[in-house]
Amino acid sequence: MITLERRPLLMVVSAPSGAGKTTLCDRLITEFDSITYSVSCTTRAPREGEIDGKSYYFLAQEEFDERVRNGEFLEHAVVHGNHYGTLKETVHEALAAGRDVLMDIDVQGAEQIREFVHEDSGNDWIRDIYVDIFIAPPSMHDLQLRLWGRGKDEQDVIQRRLVRAQEELQCWKDYQYVIVNDRIDDSYHALRCILFAERHRVRRFTLSHVPSA
Ligand code: 5GP
């Protein structure tokens, strides 16, 4: 008997801070329990309410550096002055269990994974399952209002995030999909549609031969 088996997706979502990425990713994870959220490592201090091992793995700089040296990261980057990285093990374990993986990482991390995808040597496994999406704010003015409005950060932090956002926005063209997050429900609808369409691409499937009884 011949059956078609779907391979799990490796989905990367990037956005400037304040564009609504966390809200969209949280909604996706809540709705689809077949998706594993890739918990990253970071050297930044936990914010109120963040749980080690759930929001992030909070590491001391020395431990982070040690893991870099050991080649444990699929990608890693410095974002807003702190180190962030995705452990290969986190992604491999989820994919091996047949689960779609959602990675919320910055534009530098996405760029590293894309380079890895396009290398010639034996990276086909990732090429066939990779999808990336850029979430953009409707305008810089809108982003500024959102960052002020959420009242999470100090004035100088907001200013730095806005400067960084200008740079990150330049990267939108490198992604396969872009969602301009004007209205959150419409954006979520778009994200869901991307997920469904990507799950049904022909190259996601493999043929397996199951011996008949
Ligand atoms: P925050 O500290 O506000 O949670 O995240 C700051 C930025 O770091 C966000 O843009 C987020 O996407 C990015 N980020 C989180 N985890 C990773 C990671 O593992 N790798 C990279 N490159 N960026 C990450």
Side-chain angles (χ1 to χ4, degrees), residues 13-17 21-22 37-42 44 47 50 56 73 75-80 82-87 103-110 112 150 152 161 168:
V13 179
S14 304
S17 71
K21 175 184 55 175
T22 308
Y37 177 73
S38 162
V39 178
S40 298
C41 298
T42 182
R44 93 155 155 70
R47 295 191 187 115
E50 285 185 329
Y56 282 102
F73 289 113
E75 61 73 38
H76 63 95
V78 178
V79 188
H80 307 306
N82 296 300
H83 294 250
Y84 293 84
T86 307
L87 290 171
M103 293 173 64
D104 164 351
I105 62 172
D106 89 315
V107 295
Q108 305 168 78
Q112 287 172 37
R150 69 184 188 183
K152 270 204 313 199
R161 286 184 183 240
E168 289 176 330

Side-chain angles (χ1 to χ4, degrees), residues 173-197:
K173 272 191 185 159
D174 300 332
Y175 288 72
Q176 297 165 14
Y177 292 95
V178 62
I179 299 175
V180 178
N181 184 19
D182 196 357
R183 293 209 312 237
I184 196 78
D185 286 342
D186 292 348
S187 303
Y188 184 63
H189 180 64
L191 185 60
R192 264 179 122 247
C193 288
I194 293 169
L195 171 72
F196 281 113

